[in-house]
């Protein structure tokens, strides 16, 4: 018998990533609604201590695969282990974050398991037969498609910030099962020798609750300092349009949009960004959008909840000053 919902958990620096907490929280809600169990899978080295955290966010069971070969993510090792864990657990649904790891892993797993994959989903519904259906934006966010498959399990990646994180309950207990990695030698095609991380006090773009983004109007990389000051005053990440990235004002990893990162923060502040469809594709699902643009006809105002018509070089420092007073 299929057992329920399986969440592939991501951890970073000894903590579960926010997207994993979102998936556990929503998974718990759906599992209760559809009468299913919720299992979390933790891969890595020294990750067992995170099992109670997964339990506190709703997992009934946590499968822990702790091995030096899983310390850093590699496609082959993670695919090999998860392929086996999923076959053993036999869930109805497998979900993971639509992160760099999730986007790499999900299609490979789908191929190994011989099932379909719904990617970059933003909502999940339970139909009248208690089957889960996944909703994802299509045509650069102009429409939504609902995905369901006959083959089980259905595999889906979920856009970070699509669901809220429930309050943890430290009294919740989960069955913790430790499984040996037993990675197929044929899957160990790459090993990570060194990870070089850039130190930053700002949140990761795809995890951030608040994002301040700048466009071509910033004119140069130095001017991004005013966006950084605003971001630091409100604990935000800094993003950029493709025009700003192509002009060399910001590195590609900060690009938001169809060919950059997809973000879904609670608050997105677009500064000097016209609102091209390709930019909207990456941030259109933000909960509240604020646009600052000197052109009252700019397309960004068609999606903005709050619009400020004016010169960003005057408005942004004023906002920073006000936020610093709070
Ligand atoms: P512009 O369109 O030039 O807009 C600048 C805006 O700043 C204008 O609205 C102007 O009124 C305003 N402005 C100027 N000065 C000021 C000021 N002082 N104060 C306030 N406002 C001011 N774009 C992305 O962003 N992300 C993507 O991932 C992406 N992928 C793409 C993929 C493809 C296949 C293609 C064809 C395009 C893609 N683009 C992407 C590019 C996209 O079409 C736009 O060209 C780009 O988003 C424009 O960036 P922008 O809004 O910063 O610049």
């Amino acid at each position: 018998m299929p057992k329920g919902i399986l969440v592939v958990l991501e951890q970073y620096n000894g903590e579960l990533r926010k997207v994993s907490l979102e998936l556990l929280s929503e998974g718990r809600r759906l599992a209760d609604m559809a009468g299913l169990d919720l299992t979390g899978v933790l891969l890595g080295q020294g990750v067992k201590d995170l099992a109670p955290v997964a339990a506190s966010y709703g997992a009934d069971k946590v499968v822990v695969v702790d091995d030096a070969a899983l310390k850093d993510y590699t496609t082959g090792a993670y695919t090999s282990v998860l392929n086996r864990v999923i076959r053993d657990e036999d869930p109805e649904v497998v979900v993971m974050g639509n992160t760099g790891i999730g986007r790499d892993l999900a299609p490979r797993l789908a191929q190994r398991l011989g099932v379909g994959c719904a990617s970059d989903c933003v909502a999940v519904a339970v139909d009248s037969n208690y089957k889960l259906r996944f909703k994802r934006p299509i045509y650069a966010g102009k429409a939504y498609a609902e995905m369901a498959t006959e083959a089980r399990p259905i595999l889906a990646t979920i856009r970070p910030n699509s669901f809220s994180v429930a309050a943890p309950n430290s009294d919740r207990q989960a069955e913790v099962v430790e499984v040996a990695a037993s990675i197929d030698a044929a899957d160990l095609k790459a090993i990570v020798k060194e990870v070089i991380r850039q130190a930053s006090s700002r949140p990761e773009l795809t995890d951030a609750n608040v994002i301040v983004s700048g466009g071509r109007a910033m004119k140069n990389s130095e001017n991004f300092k005013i966006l950084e000051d605003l971001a630091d005053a409100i604990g935000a990440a800094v993003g950029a349009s493709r025009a700003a990235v192509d002009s060399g004002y910001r590195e590609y990893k900060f690009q938001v949009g169809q060919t950059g990162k997809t973000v879904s923060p609670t608050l997105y502040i677009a500064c000097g960004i016209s609102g091209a469809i390709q930019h909207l594709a990456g941030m259109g699902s933000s909960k509240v959008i604020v646009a600052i643009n000197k052109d009252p006809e700019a397309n960004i105002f068609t999606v903005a909840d709050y619009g400020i018509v004016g010169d960003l070089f005057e408005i942004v420092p004023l906002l920073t000053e006000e936020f610093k007073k709070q």
Side-chain angles (χ1 to χ4, degrees), residues 52-90:
V53 181
S56 72
Y57 284 94
D60 298 305
K61 177 177 176 182
V62 184
V63 177
V64 180
V65 192
D66 203 307
D67 195 284
L70 301 172
K71 179 171 176 280
D72 296 304
Y73 173 77
T74 59
T75 310
Y78 274 57
T79 304
S80 180
V81 173
L82 279 168
N83 178 35
R84 195 162 36 79
V85 169
I86 291 168
R87 286 175 191 278
D88 289 350
E89 293 297 316
D90 190 21

Side-chain angles (χ1 to χ4, degrees), residues 215-220 222-227 249 271-272 292-294 310-319:
R216 196 196 308 272
M218 298 313 297
K219 293 192 186 132
N220 56 48
E222 291 76 35
N223 285 340
F224 260 87
K225 173 84 172 64
I226 63 166
L227 302 190
Y249 308 160
C271 306
I292 304 169
N293 198 304
K294 65 181 185 185
D311 187 340
L312 74 92
F313 293 103
E314 287 170 23
I315 294 158
V316 171
L318 288 176
L319 285 176

Side-chain angles (χ1 to χ4, degrees), residues 289-305:
I289 298 170
V290 174
I292 304 169
N293 198 304
K294 65 181 185 185
D295 174 7
E297 303 296 324
N299 193 50
I300 192 78
F301 289 126
T302 62
V303 295
D305 298 281

Side-chain angles (χ1 to χ4, degrees), residues 31-279:
D32 287 341
M33 203 189 295
L36 299 168
D37 286 341
L38 181 65
T39 299
V41 184
L42 261 172
L43 270 61
Q45 189 181 29
V47 291
K48 196 183 167 196
D49 289 352
L50 293 175
V53 181
S56 72
Y57 284 94
D60 298 305
K61 177 177 176 182
V62 184
V63 177
V64 180
V65 192
D66 203 307
D67 195 284
L70 301 172
K71 179 171 176 280
D72 296 304
Y73 173 77
T74 59
T75 310
Y78 274 57
T79 304
S80 180
V81 173
L82 279 168
N83 178 35
R84 195 162 36 79
V85 169
I86 291 168
R87 286 175 191 278
D88 289 350
E89 293 297 316
D90 190 21
E92 184 85 353
V93 177
V94 177
V95 287
M96 59 188 84
N98 192 59
T99 59
I101 289 179
R103 283 200 299 271
D104 184 59
L105 196 52
R108 284 174 167 81
L109 269 174
Q111 186 274 331
R112 290 273 175 108
L113 295 162
V115 298
C117 178
S119 58
D120 197 20
C121 302
V122 294
V124 190
V126 182
D127 71 14
S128 52
N129 296 320
Y130 294 100
K131 298 278 184 235
L132 298 190
R133 302 172 76 86
F134 290 88
K135 194 171 163 185
R136 64 186 296 265
I138 53 171
Y139 304 126
K142 281 189 176 156
Y144 287 91
E146 259 193 14
M147 318 282 289
T149 60
E150 288 303 320
R152 291 286 179 258
I154 178 165
L155 212 70
T157 66
I158 311 285
R159 191 179 286 190
N161 286 321
S162 296
F163 308 122
S164 49
V165 177
N169 176 357
S170 53
D171 292 337
R172 272 194 69 99
Q173 302 287 324
E175 179 193 358
V176 179
V177 180
E178 289 186 68
V179 172
S182 316
I183 301 163
D184 287 342
D187 280 325
L188 280 178
K189 293 197 174 90
I191 52 163
V192 177
K193 290 204 155 177
E194 191 186 3
V195 177
I196 301 165
R197 293 201 168 106
Q198 273 183 339
S200 170
S201 54
R202 295 194 193 99
E204 171 70 21
L205 200 55
T206 47
D207 282 348
N209 246 330
V210 183
I211 296 174
V212 179
S213 266
R216 196 196 308 272
M218 298 313 297
K219 293 192 186 132
N220 56 48
S221 56
E222 291 76 35
N223 285 340
F224 260 87
K225 173 84 172 64
I226 63 166
L227 302 190
E228 290 171 354
D229 289 345
L230 173 57
D232 291 342
I234 54 178
V238 177
S241 72
R242 176 161 163 179
V245 170
D246 286 351
S247 305
Y249 308 160
R250 217 64 198 164
E251 285 173 66
Y252 170 68
K253 67 177 180 179
F254 296 112
Q255 183 177 315
V256 173
Q258 189 181 321
T259 43
K261 299 238 164 88
T262 303
V263 298
S264 194
T266 309
L267 174 62
Y268 188 90
I269 306 177
C271 306
I273 292 176
S274 59
I277 183 72
Q278 296 90 353
H279 189 77

